[in-house]
Amino acid sequence: MDLDTVLAAAVEPVVARSGASLSVAVLDTGSGESAVYGEETYDTASIVKVDILAALLLAAQDAGRSLTAQEKTQAAAMIRLSDNPAATALWQTIGGAQGLDAANERLGLTETAGADAWGLTQTTARDQLVLLQAVFGADSVLSEASRTYLQRLMEQISTDQDWGVSAAGSGWALKNGWMPRTATGLWDVNSIGRVSVDGRMCLLAVLSDGHATKEAGIALVEAAARKAVSSL
């Protein structure tokens, strides 16, 4: 069975009715089955904050040190509250776009490119799934301690931001991103993370743009997440 085809059949009708653009990637961590719908590149908006923290943790591992108290405070604010000043501070700590790209090469991402402004980093759903495997999988350049630290923060997202892939299951750990584009007034809405579905653990990345409102984007992302896990 071609799972990409199955996923496309499930997602395309939902996307077509929206008038927006969307891509989704899903992996069942138990069976290893995966599927991807859409090859487009999207702005990351705030989902890049997971990548920023992964890059920081890699740098700390290389230096043989723990995160400083200040870095821990900034990391918690950046992931749990999606705090932008904290993200900007850590973006500078990792060396900006160049530092992110260097870390991503080690993490296995091949379709993500840092930008001068971190929220405009470009990525694909497929590449975000690679990032999630680095965060939640044992075969990773991130140490067990680093992975656990990042996972715990993604499990503690503020209640006003716990939408997105969480709609597809329970036991979630996630990070969302949302951003209106000045030129068009349309919204980017993204969600990445891990969910438990009927005893199966799934990794999910849903990226989208072209929404008239943030709320419309959230509704589409959640619908696509539910379709994605049911397609496996």
Side-chain angles (χ1 to χ4, degrees):
M1 182 184 300
D2 184 344
L3 292 177
D4 287 354
T5 301
V6 174
L7 177 59
V11 173
E12 279 179 348
V14 177
V15 176
R17 290 193 295 269
S18 72
S21 174
L22 179 141
S23 181
V24 56
V26 58
L27 168 70
D28 183 320
T29 62
S31 68
E33 292 183 331
S34 66
V36 178
Y37 168 78
E39 302 290 338
E40 296 85 2
T41 299
Y42 295 88
D43 303 320
T44 55
S46 285
I47 61 169
V48 75
K49 293 169 181 175
V50 173
D51 206 359
I52 292 172
L53 184 49
L56 177 67
L57 291 166
L58 268 181
Q61 287 177 202
D62 291 345
R65 68 172 181 87
S66 300
L67 298 189
T68 66
Q70 181 180 47
E71 287 170 342
K72 288 180 179 179
T73 297
Q74 291 168 334
M78 177 177 70
I79 301 298
R80 296 185 62 247
L81 306 177
S82 204
D83 185 83
N84 290 337
T88 299
L90 292 180
W91 179 251
Q92 294 167 352
T93 299
I94 68 168
Q98 185 175 1
L100 187 79
D101 290 345
N104 282 343
E105 184 174 353
R106 296 171 63 188
L107 290 163
L109 281 69
T110 60
E111 299 173 342
T112 300
D116 290 339
W118 49 259
L120 297 180
T121 294
Q122 299 294 293
T123 194
T124 63
R126 188 192 311 275
D127 233 22
Q128 288 301 298
L129 195 58
V130 173
L131 176 62
L132 290 171
Q133 288 175 272
V135 172
F136 292 98
D139 184 15
S140 174
V141 293
L142 291 171
S143 69
E144 182 179 0
S146 292
R147 297 195 308 273
T148 299
Y149 177 71
L150 187 39
Q151 290 168 24
R152 293 295 176 264
L153 290 179
M154 292 176 71
E155 291 169 350
Q156 299 168 6
I157 298 298
S158 173
T159 54
D160 64 333
Q161 297 178 22
D162 61 2
W163 45 266
V165 296
S166 56
S170 60
W172 53 262
L174 61 81
K175 183 70 191 81
N176 297 322
W178 60 98
M179 178 174 67
R181 296 309 310 269
T182 303
T184 63
L186 300 177
W187 285 77
D188 298 335
V189 179
N190 306 321
S191 185
I192 62 171
R194 179 208 68 205
V195 295
S196 176
V197 186
D198 298 327
R200 298 179 295 130
M201 200 65 70
C202 293
L203 302 180
L204 267 169
V206 188
L207 311 182
S208 67
D209 62 24
H211 303 284
T213 65
K214 175 185 173 183
E215 292 71 24
I218 291 173
L220 183 63
V221 164
E222 292 187 338
R226 288 189 289 264
K227 293 288 187 182
V229 298
S230 65
S231 71
L232 294 184

